Amino acid sequence: MGDVLAGIHSTWEFDTDSVLIRFERGIRTPKLFHVLAERRIPYEALSAVELAPGGKRGTVVLRAVPREGADPLLEAAAGQLKEGSDPYRLVLPVERQLLADYYATELCSVLGPEADEPAERHMVAAPPAPLSFKAYDGKASFDGQTITFRWFWTGASSAKWRAGDQSFTVDELEGVEWRSPEGLNGHLRLRPHSSDGSSPGGDTPPINADQDPASVVFGLGYGLVYESLPFAASVLAAVRAAEPVMALEPAGSTPHGSLPRQLRADPADIADRIRHLGELHESGLLTDEEFTQKKAELLAEL
């Protein structure tokens, strides 16, 4: 198409095979858009295009509907995004309704023959690594292959301190669970494969995220962690990309376990963590045996 359609909070630039969505960084722009900056959406990743009246008087909304499974960002969001934070919505003044209708018609004409079918793979690129963000109880980092959680001793639970800082590779995971920081119990949880290579599940209730070393939490009053969703999408895309490789592993080979590996820390960090363990021990949250064992593990890292 080769044209540009500027709206409120974002601009759509139409190319021959995709639309580039550029997000503004204004004061009233949703903070998620600030983090995303821009996204390129292939037309083959779309299932439909809609034009409807806007939520505010004097506006219309042009919305592209992605195919199920085509976008790791929406897969990670799992329907939790509020309407105003939907990156596929372009809000326009009502004066541009005829122009918006033209582009809606043009987009519909370039949808692929499989538009109504779920996508077999991610077609929209996830935000690229490296990525990191600070949650309430720790810092999460992802370099494209390994996810690390380093706990904050002012926020992490004693269970997480017992487990120590965590490291997971994408081929150890079967998925990601994201709960919006705009509601209760916001968190990012990694879902490792079970020790026998199967996916965890069944009737066993999940561990609370604040006690799970495979999770970081977004505490009430801590603020909205807008970086967490692009982070989750990037990890999910890497996990999906690793699945065919895992399927080619020889039968009988040892599967990747679900237990995360501890990170090595510098001496100053080790000392801080031992001091915190001592405080937990004195308060009765750690037994003598747990304190002695964990202290020995930390000293062994030096």
PDB file of all heavy atoms in Angstrom, residues 252-269:
ATOM      1  N   GLY A 252      14.825 -41.892  24.980  1.00  0.00           N
ATOM      2  CA  GLY A 252      15.602 -42.394  26.102  1.00  0.00           C
ATOM      3  C   GLY A 252      16.639 -41.425  26.602  1.00  0.00           C
ATOM      4  O   GLY A 252      17.327 -41.698  27.590  1.00  0.00           O
ATOM      5  N   SER A 253      16.817 -40.286  25.917  1.00  0.00           N
ATOM      6  CA  SER A 253      17.787 -39.307  26.398  1.00  0.00           C
ATOM      7  C   SER A 253      17.249 -38.631  27.634  1.00  0.00           C
ATOM      8  O   SER A 253      16.051 -38.591  27.877  1.00  0.00           O
ATOM      9  CB  SER A 253      18.065 -38.267  25.306  1.00  0.00           C
ATOM     10  OG  SER A 253      16.890 -37.553  25.011  1.00  0.00           O
ATOM     11  N   THR A 254      18.116 -38.088  28.433  1.00  0.00           N
ATOM     12  CA  THR A 254      17.714 -37.445  29.676  1.00  0.00           C
ATOM     13  C   THR A 254      17.081 -36.108  29.384  1.00  0.00           C
ATOM     14  O   THR A 254      17.716 -35.238  28.794  1.00  0.00           O
ATOM     15  CB  THR A 254      18.938 -37.240  30.593  1.00  0.00           C
ATOM     16  OG1 THR A 254      19.543 -38.501  30.829  1.00  0.00           O
ATOM     17  CG2 THR A 254      18.515 -36.608  31.911  1.00  0.00           C
ATOM     18  N   PRO A 255      15.822 -35.892  29.744  1.00  0.00           N
ATOM     19  CA  PRO A 255      15.170 -34.617  29.477  1.00  0.00           C
ATOM     20  C   PRO A 255      15.724 -33.528  30.381  1.00  0.00           C
ATOM     21  O   PRO A 255      16.322 -33.808  31.420  1.00  0.00           O
ATOM     22  CB  PRO A 255      13.696 -34.902  29.812  1.00  0.00           C
ATOM     23  CG  PRO A 255      13.749 -35.994  30.825  1.00  0.00           C
ATOM     24  CD  PRO A 255      14.939 -36.837  30.446  1.00  0.00           C
ATOM     25  N   HIS A 256      15.492 -32.316  29.978  1.00  0.00           N
ATOM     26  CA  HIS A 256      15.903 -31.191  30.797  1.00  0.00           C
ATOM     27  C   HIS A 256      15.042 -31.154  32.038  1.00  0.00           C
ATOM     28  O   HIS A 256      13.826 -31.157  31.952  1.00  0.00           O
ATOM     29  CB  HIS A 256      15.756 -29.878  30.021  1.00  0.00           C
ATOM     30  CG  HIS A 256      16.672 -29.809  28.830  1.00  0.00           C
ATOM     31  ND1 HIS A 256      17.997 -29.527  28.942  1.00  0.00           N
ATOM     32  CD2 HIS A 256      16.429 -30.024  27.519  1.00  0.00           C
ATOM     33  CE1 HIS A 256      18.546 -29.550  27.736  1.00  0.00           C
ATOM     34  NE2 HIS A 256      17.619 -29.845  26.865  1.00  0.00           N
ATOM     35  N   GLY A 257      15.646 -31.080  33.180  1.00  0.00           N
ATOM     36  CA  GLY A 257      14.913 -31.099  34.424  1.00  0.00           C
ATOM     37  C   GLY A 257      14.230 -29.785  34.713  1.00  0.00           C
ATOM     38  O   GLY A 257      14.490 -28.775  34.096  1.00  0.00           O
ATOM     39  N   SER A 258      13.361 -29.850  35.703  1.00  0.00           N
ATOM     40  CA  SER A 258      12.629 -28.645  36.056  1.00  0.00           C
ATOM     41  C   SER A 258      13.339 -27.830  37.119  1.00  0.00           C
ATOM     42  O   SER A 258      12.938 -26.714  37.413  1.00  0.00           O
ATOM     43  CB  SER A 258      11.241 -29.026  36.580  1.00  0.00           C
ATOM     44  OG  SER A 258      11.360 -29.790  37.761  1.00  0.00           O
ATOM     45  N   LEU A 259      14.399 -28.390  37.725  1.00  0.00           N
ATOM     46  CA  LEU A 259      15.045 -27.656  38.793  1.00  0.00           C
ATOM     47  C   LEU A 259      15.978 -26.611  38.220  1.00  0.00           C
ATOM     48  O   LEU A 259      16.901 -26.926  37.478  1.00  0.00           O
ATOM     49  CB  LEU A 259      15.846 -28.616  39.691  1.00  0.00           C
ATOM     50  CG  LEU A 259      15.003 -29.648  40.450  1.00  0.00           C
ATOM     51  CD1 LEU A 259      15.903 -30.556  41.259  1.00  0.00           C
ATOM     52  CD2 LEU A 259      14.001 -28.940  41.347  1.00  0.00           C
ATOM     53  N   PRO A 260      15.782 -25.336  38.558  1.00  0.00           N
ATOM     54  CA  PRO A 260      16.647 -24.284  38.054  1.00  0.00           C
ATOM     55  C   PRO A 260      18.017 -24.353  38.692  1.00  0.00           C
ATOM     56  O   PRO A 260      18.198 -24.871  39.784  1.00  0.00           O
ATOM     57  CB  PRO A 260      15.923 -22.993  38.456  1.00  0.00           C
ATOM     58  CG  PRO A 260      15.083 -23.387  39.621  1.00  0.00           C
ATOM     59  CD  PRO A 260      14.706 -24.820  39.390  1.00  0.00           C
ATOM     60  N   ARG A 261      18.986 -23.793  37.987  1.00  0.00           N
ATOM     61  CA  ARG A 261      20.353 -23.781  38.469  1.00  0.00           C
ATOM     62  C   ARG A 261      20.641 -22.482  39.187  1.00  0.00           C
ATOM     63  O   ARG A 261      20.205 -21.415  38.789  1.00  0.00           O
ATOM     64  CB  ARG A 261      21.326 -23.937  37.292  1.00  0.00           C
ATOM     65  CG  ARG A 261      21.156 -25.232  36.544  1.00  0.00           C
ATOM     66  CD  ARG A 261      22.250 -25.372  35.504  1.00  0.00           C
ATOM     67  NE  ARG A 261      22.251 -24.246  34.594  1.00  0.00           N
ATOM     68  CZ  ARG A 261      21.506 -24.174  33.516  1.00  0.00           C
ATOM     69  NH1 ARG A 261      20.664 -25.132  33.237  1.00  0.00           N
ATOM     70  NH2 ARG A 261      21.572 -23.127  32.713  1.00  0.00           N
ATOM     71  N   GLN A 262      21.438 -22.549  40.250  1.00  0.00           N
ATOM     72  CA  GLN A 262      21.803 -21.357  40.976  1.00  0.00           C
ATOM     73  C   GLN A 262      22.819 -20.547  40.196  1.00  0.00           C
ATOM     74  O   GLN A 262      23.670 -21.074  39.493  1.00  0.00           O
ATOM     75  CB  GLN A 262      22.410 -21.713  42.327  1.00  0.00           C
ATOM     76  CG  GLN A 262      21.379 -22.062  43.382  1.00  0.00           C
ATOM     77  CD  GLN A 262      22.000 -22.075  44.745  1.00  0.00           C
ATOM     78  OE1 GLN A 262      23.084 -22.604  44.916  1.00  0.00           O
ATOM     79  NE2 GLN A 262      21.326 -21.501  45.704  1.00  0.00           N
ATOM     80  N   LEU A 263      22.726 -19.243  40.340  1.00  0.00           N
ATOM     81  CA  LEU A 263      23.707 -18.351  39.752  1.00  0.00           C
ATOM     82  C   LEU A 263      24.871 -18.175  40.709  1.00  0.00           C
ATOM     83  O   LEU A 263      24.721 -18.235  41.917  1.00  0.00           O
ATOM     84  CB  LEU A 263      23.070 -16.975  39.486  1.00  0.00           C
ATOM     85  CG  LEU A 263      21.940 -16.944  38.483  1.00  0.00           C
ATOM     86  CD1 LEU A 263      21.364 -15.538  38.435  1.00  0.00           C
ATOM     87  CD2 LEU A 263      22.444 -17.352  37.125  1.00  0.00           C
ATOM     88  N   ARG A 264      26.011 -17.904  40.170  1.00  0.00           N
ATOM     89  CA  ARG A 264      27.155 -17.550  40.996  1.00  0.00           C
ATOM     90  C   ARG A 264      27.059 -16.075  41.321  1.00  0.00           C
ATOM     91  O   ARG A 264      26.621 -15.264  40.524  1.00  0.00           O
ATOM     92  CB  ARG A 264      28.455 -17.865  40.254  1.00  0.00           C
ATOM     93  CG  ARG A 264      28.623 -19.357  39.944  1.00  0.00           C
ATOM     94  CD  ARG A 264      29.982 -19.622  39.334  1.00  0.00           C
ATOM     95  NE  ARG A 264      31.038 -19.333  40.272  1.00  0.00           N
ATOM     96  CZ  ARG A 264      31.479 -20.198  41.191  1.00  0.00           C
ATOM     97  NH1 ARG A 264      30.907 -21.376  41.306  1.00  0.00           N
ATOM     98  NH2 ARG A 264      32.454 -19.891  42.004  1.00  0.00           N
ATOM     99  N   ALA A 265      27.495 -15.713  42.505  1.00  0.00           N
ATOM    100  CA  ALA A 265      27.417 -14.322  42.935  1.00  0.00           C
ATOM    101  C   ALA A 265      28.783 -13.858  43.414  1.00  0.00           C
ATOM    102  O   ALA A 265      29.655 -14.667  43.765  1.00  0.00           O
ATOM    103  CB  ALA A 265      26.389 -14.176  44.048  1.00  0.00           C
ATOM    104  N   ASP A 266      28.967 -12.537  43.456  1.00  0.00           N
ATOM    105  CA  ASP A 266      30.244 -12.014  43.928  1.00  0.00           C
ATOM    106  C   ASP A 266      30.289 -12.076  45.448  1.00  0.00           C
ATOM    107  O   ASP A 266      29.268 -12.247  46.121  1.00  0.00           O
ATOM    108  CB  ASP A 266      30.469 -10.595  43.413  1.00  0.00           C
ATOM    109  CG  ASP A 266      29.399  -9.625  43.856  1.00  0.00           C
ATOM    110  OD1 ASP A 266      28.956  -9.718  45.023  1.00  0.00           O
ATOM    111  OD2 ASP A 266      29.012  -8.759  43.053  1.00  0.00           O
ATOM    112  N   PRO A 267      31.487 -11.960  46.059  1.00  0.00           N
ATOM    113  CA  PRO A 267      31.618 -12.100  47.518  1.00  0.00           C
ATOM    114  C   PRO A 267      30.741 -11.135  48.305  1.00  0.00           C
ATOM    115  O   PRO A 267      30.191 -11.503  49.348  1.00  0.00           O
ATOM    116  CB  PRO A 267      33.107 -11.827  47.742  1.00  0.00           C
ATOM    117  CG  PRO A 267      33.768 -12.233  46.462  1.00  0.00           C
ATOM    118  CD  PRO A 267      32.802 -11.851  45.386  1.00  0.00           C
ATOM    119  N   ALA A 268      30.615  -9.879  47.835  1.00  0.00           N
ATOM    120  CA  ALA A 268      29.795  -8.912  48.561  1.00  0.00           C
ATOM    121  C   ALA A 268      28.332  -9.356  48.578  1.00  0.00           C
ATOM    122  O   ALA A 268      27.636  -9.222  49.592  1.00  0.00           O
ATOM    123  CB  ALA A 268      29.925  -7.531  47.919  1.00  0.00           C
ATOM    124  N   ASP A 269      27.878  -9.896  47.448  1.00  0.00           N
ATOM    125  CA  ASP A 269      26.502 -10.371  47.369  1.00  0.00           C
ATOM    126  C   ASP A 269      26.305 -11.579  48.280  1.00  0.00           C
ATOM    127  O   ASP A 269      25.285 -11.709  48.963  1.00  0.00           O
ATOM    128  CB  ASP A 269      26.171 -10.721  45.920  1.00  0.00           C
ATOM    129  CG  ASP A 269      24.690 -11.006  45.728  1.00  0.00           C
ATOM    130  OD1 ASP A 269      23.877 -10.354  46.406  1.00  0.00           O
ATOM    131  OD2 ASP A 269      24.364 -11.868  44.902  1.00  0.00           O
TER     132      ASP A 269
END
